[in-house]
Amino acid sequence: MSNLAYKRVLLKLSGEALMGDDAYGINRITIERMITEIADVVRMGVELAIVIGGGNIFRGVAPGAAGMDRATADYMGMLATIMNALALQDAFRQVGVTARTMSALNIEQVVEPYIRPKAMRYLEEGKVVIFAAGTGNPFFTTDTAAALRGSEIGAEIVLKATKVDGVYTADPKKDPNAVRYATISFDEAISKNLQVMDATAFALCRDQKLPIKVFSIVKPGALKQIIEGANEGTLVHV
């Protein structure tokens, strides 16, 4: 335990991270690789919670949602996160790690309702807790849910998993001279208009002094290296 940089973390996974190279949905090979790496970290003794997005599922119905009422579309997106959470929970089961899904929407026949003390107890017991349905409110993203749940459970850091290995001075896909920040303050990120998280989530993390680490979930071993304190990704701090 002494070699761990973090004991309790909140991992923010986008739904798109589950797609692999597919247009939408869940790529089985991708999710299995990802779960194996997360399970290795949990076995090291890290208390880990996950907030999952739903863009990979919702993307498949997006053309039909064009012109839809925003609140209705957001509730559909919340249901998509529950589908992803169940897929993650089952994938953890297959590698021998116990996971519990807790939803901000009440669907008790399928998932448990979110109850903070219960979530804390699960974490202390070494179970992975998957938070689904965002905050349970339309107009708020799963980034905001990650900031909120991370604050509520006393996480030491929010790990924002992306397909890029950190925050850059410019889009590295468009600018070959873009440079990755090793660390950057919240205020500097705001002044430079760097899109780390949506504005509400970013402000909440800053106010709660909850650091954010942006890293690549597709880079093998990156998550474990962060947990062990390696200089991986970009740290956003107060």
Side-chain angles (χ1 to χ4, degrees):
M1 296 291 291
S2 59
N3 65 330
L4 299 180
Y6 303 105
K7 177 66 168 61
R8 178 175 291 179
V9 302
L10 188 291
L11 177 63
K12 169 57 173 65
L13 276 177
S14 67
E16 287 80 358
L18 307 183
M19 296 191 312
D21 295 326
D22 297 341
Y24 59 87
I26 298 170
N27 182 287
R28 199 70 219 174
I29 295 175
T30 298
I31 195 173
E32 287 174 357
R33 178 195 60 77
M34 197 179 300
I35 289 298
T36 298
E37 293 203 14
I38 297 172
D40 287 343
V41 166
V42 172
R43 294 188 182 104
M44 292 166 61
V46 177
E47 296 176 3
L48 187 141
I50 299 173
V51 167
I52 181 70
N56 60 315
I57 301 293
F58 194 72
R59 181 174 295 182
V61 298
M68 184 179 290
D69 172 72
R70 168 65 189 275
T72 300
D74 281 358
Y75 280 119
M76 290 174 65
M78 292 179 215
L79 295 175
T81 72
I82 294 172
M83 294 169 67
N84 279 338
L86 291 172
L88 288 177
Q89 179 177 285
D90 188 71
F92 277 117
R93 178 189 61 80
Q94 294 184 43
V95 297
V97 172
T98 302
R100 293 287 183 267
T101 297
M102 307 188 87
S103 170
L105 295 179
N106 289 329
I107 315 177
E108 294 188 32
Q109 293 93 334
V110 182
V111 289
E112 297 181 46
Y114 169 65
I115 301 172
R116 180 177 173 269
K118 203 170 186 180
M120 301 281 279
R121 187 172 77 246
Y122 284 153
L123 290 171
E124 291 164 0
E125 292 172 352
K127 297 180 175 71
V128 173
V129 179
I130 306 168
F131 296 121
T135 66
N137 302 288
F139 308 107
F140 291 93
T141 68
T142 50
D143 274 355
T144 300
L148 177 62
R149 297 291 183 245
S151 299
E152 288 180 314
I153 66 171
E156 297 167 271
I157 192 167
V158 170
L159 304 178
K160 183 174 170 70
T162 70
K163 293 184 177 181
V164 183
D165 63 344
V167 179
Y168 281 75
T169 53
D171 186 342
K173 294 180 180 179
K174 298 177 180 178
D175 185 354
N177 296 316
V179 177
R180 179 178 66 86
Y181 293 98
T183 65
I184 189 170
S185 70
F186 283 100
D187 291 340
E188 187 178 359
I190 291 171
S191 68
K192 293 182 177 180
N193 196 32
L194 300 175
Q195 303 300 313
V196 179
M197 279 184 162
D198 76 71
T200 303
F202 201 69
L204 180 55
C205 286
R206 181 187 60 183
D207 292 347
Q208 295 300 315
K209 297 180 173 57
L210 179 60
I212 304 165
K213 173 79 81 166
V214 182
F215 75 104
S216 171
I217 193 65
V218 299
K219 180 179 179 180
L223 178 60
K224 183 178 180 181
Q225 290 177 31
I226 290 169
I227 295 299
E228 293 177 337
N231 181 20
E232 181 68 41
T234 300
L235 179 67
V236 187
H237 58 91
V238 177

